[in-house]
Amino acid sequence: MRHRLKKMSRQAGKALDALEYTGDVPVQKTRVTATTYGPDGAETAVMTDREIPRVPSGDGPGKVWIDVAGLSQAEEIRRVGGLFGVHPLILEDIVQVGQRPKIEDLEDYLFVIVKAWRYDGSAKELFESQVSFILGQKALVTFREADVPAFEAVRTRIASGKGRIRNMGADYLLYALLDSLVDEHFLALEKVGEDIEDLGDKLLSDPRPTDLETIHKLKRETIYLRKSVWPLREVVSHLADGESALLRPETRLYFRDLYEHVIQIMDTVEGLLDIVGGMVDIYLSTISFRLNAIMKVLTLISTLFMPMTFVAGVYGMNFKFMPELSWPLGYPMAIGIMLLMSGGLFTFFKLKKWI
């Protein structure tokens, strides 16, 4: 699984400005996309050798969203970070992607780290990637190590003019992107919940030893989801109730609503953890029940054959004087006694409701 224990610390002897990407997403060329927007329209362009657009100044309505996809090219990260005077330690946190979701208020800008989750239906696995935000007065910069479908959905909304994004500040764009990431959490939880439900039905009908591995995988994914969501609650709470001048009062209301969504995700994750935690007991109980049923059948067969074995053992003794041995009806009599005794035992078990 590609989203778990990542290398977080830089190698010994590495300089602070080395900016070594520590993720496991396949290395790709860093792509910088700039979207300039306002009430009158929006324009998106991929920045190659062109200069990154300057941040709008003054009280005008223009805003800019700079999206950096791929964190392997240190020079591009520095180039974009230099636009805002981002501290080298912040740039280091951006490329070392094993970070815990967090928020830092550095007066001139807000620095936010969250996790994006994507469910792979073919592999039935969750994949995690890190997303970092730098929020300025009129600009938002996002750094992501992998593709995030939620970002494209927000970019489409900006281009089409739907919603409030064009008429609101850069802080509202931060809310829109975080809200889309939280929605992806819901989608991931829904898929994991379906996998858990399917596995639960399978454990009751046809449990197999390989199901223990599946249980462990689902439990591990759910635990990592919880580790991602709990600090996310702190991040959104700070955005909703913090004192940063970069967050407008009218936007804080949206962050409070987002906080309720995060709490709902936390409750869902805790519920899934409880279900997955009990699956081992379900597996063991089902296996034990099936084993008991098999042993019950085998014990019944053995008990019904015991009288037959007893009669066959008596008449198998090598005594010279056994009257039944020379009697023409001796064999039918022995068979009848065997059937009668076994039938009596079977009737007794039925009356006792043991079978």
Side-chain angles (χ1 to χ4, degrees):
M1 302 183 65
R2 284 176 26 193
H3 59 278
R4 306 310 177 224
L5 301 177
K6 298 183 177 181
K7 180 178 65 174
M8 295 181 61
S9 60
R10 61 181 183 272
Q11 296 179 1
K14 286 282 187 178
L16 178 62
D17 58 354
L19 296 185
E20 179 186 4
Y21 171 59
T22 60
D24 47 16
V25 173
V27 175
Q28 57 181 342
K29 183 177 180 180
T30 301
R31 185 180 74 254
V32 181
T33 304
T35 300
T36 305
Y37 65 97
D40 297 331
E43 180 182 356
T44 299
V46 177
M47 303 290 103
T48 53
D49 297 330
R50 297 162 54 187
E51 183 181 1
I52 297 176
R54 293 296 176 183
V55 177
S57 58
D59 297 329
K63 283 85 60 178
V64 62
W65 169 24
I66 300 174
D67 179 37
V68 182
L71 306 179
S72 58
Q73 291 183 275
E75 64 278 6
E76 287 295 314
I77 305 300
R78 290 194 197 92
R79 185 164 73 104
V80 176
L83 185 65
F84 292 89
V86 178
H87 195 278
L89 288 175
I90 299 298
L91 295 179
E92 184 183 37
D93 285 347
I94 289 173
V95 297
Q96 292 187 357
V97 295
Q99 304 293 326
R100 182 178 185 267
K102 63 179 181 179
I103 181 171
E104 295 183 18
D105 189 348
L106 301 170
E107 295 186 1
D108 293 335
Y109 57 88
L110 283 178
F111 174 54
V112 179
I113 289 180
V114 298
K115 300 295 182 182
W117 292 87
R118 176 179 61 85
Y119 182 84
D120 188 340
S122 59
K124 289 188 175 297
E125 287 188 5
L126 281 173
F127 292 91
E128 170 202 75
S129 61
Q130 179 170 298
V131 181
S132 304
F133 300 86
I134 300 290
L135 174 65
Q137 189 67 41
K138 284 182 167 292
L140 178 69
V141 184
T142 55
F143 299 87
R144 51 191 174 94
E145 59 173 328
D147 291 334
V148 180
F151 279 33
E152 296 306 319
V154 173
R155 201 187 309 278
T156 301
R157 286 165 56 189
I158 294 176
S160 62
K162 295 181 179 179
R164 302 180 175 88
I165 299 181
R166 284 192 186 178
N167 299 312
M168 303 288 282
D171 54 344
Y172 185 85
L173 176 60
L174 173 63
Y175 156 76
L177 293 173
L178 288 177
D179 184 56
S180 298
L181 291 176
V182 169
D183 288 343
E184 288 195 342
H185 278 67
F186 279 110
L187 293 176
L189 283 174
E190 181 180 350
K191 297 299 183 180
V192 173
E194 291 176 358
D195 290 344
I196 292 174
E197 184 178 353
D198 293 341
L199 180 59
D201 295 338
K202 186 175 182 294
L203 290 177
L204 292 175
S205 60
D206 185 25
R208 297 172 181 261
T210 54
D211 292 334
L212 286 175
E213 181 180 351
T214 305
I215 293 173
H216 175 67
K217 169 187 163 186
L218 288 172
K219 185 174 182 179
R220 182 173 54 186
E221 289 187 338
T222 311
I223 289 175
Y224 274 96
L225 267 172
R226 182 175 64 176
K227 289 176 65 178
S228 170
V229 173
W230 274 88
L232 178 61
R233 179 188 62 171
E234 301 171 7
V235 170
V236 178
S237 176
H238 185 91
L239 291 170
D241 302 320
E243 299 178 354
S244 174
L246 297 172
L247 299 171
R248 295 173 174 81
E250 59 269 23
T251 308
R252 294 184 186 275
L253 178 63
Y254 296 100
F255 283 115
R256 293 190 185 101
D257 179 69
L258 182 61
Y259 179 80
E260 297 297 327
H261 294 172
V262 175
I263 295 298
Q264 184 178 352
I265 291 176
M266 290 173 56
D267 292 340
T268 305
V269 170
E270 293 297 331
L272 292 179
L273 266 178
D274 291 340
I275 296 174
V276 175
M279 279 189 166
V280 175
D281 294 335
I282 295 175
Y283 172 81
L284 295 177
S285 298
T286 306
I287 291 293
S288 178
F289 176 80
R290 294 183 66 184
L291 181 60
N292 289 338
I294 293 172
M295 293 302 298
K296 180 179 179 180
V297 173
L298 294 177
T299 302
L300 176 63
I301 294 174
S302 300
T303 303
L304 294 178
F305 273 89
M306 283 176 60
M308 301 181 184
T309 305
F310 171 73
V311 173
V314 169
Y315 287 101
M317 295 185 294
N318 296 321
F319 289 109
K320 184 176 181 180
F321 300 103
M322 294 185 71
E324 295 87 354
L325 296 179
S326 58
W327 185 33
L329 297 179
Y331 175 73
M333 179 201 69
I335 296 297
I337 293 174
M338 292 179 184
L339 296 177
L340 183 62
M341 296 176 68
S342 296
L345 281 175
F346 184 82
T347 303
F348 176 76
F349 292 156
K350 287 291 263 184
L351 292 175
K352 287 290 187 178
K353 297 182 178 179
W354 292 351
I355 57 176

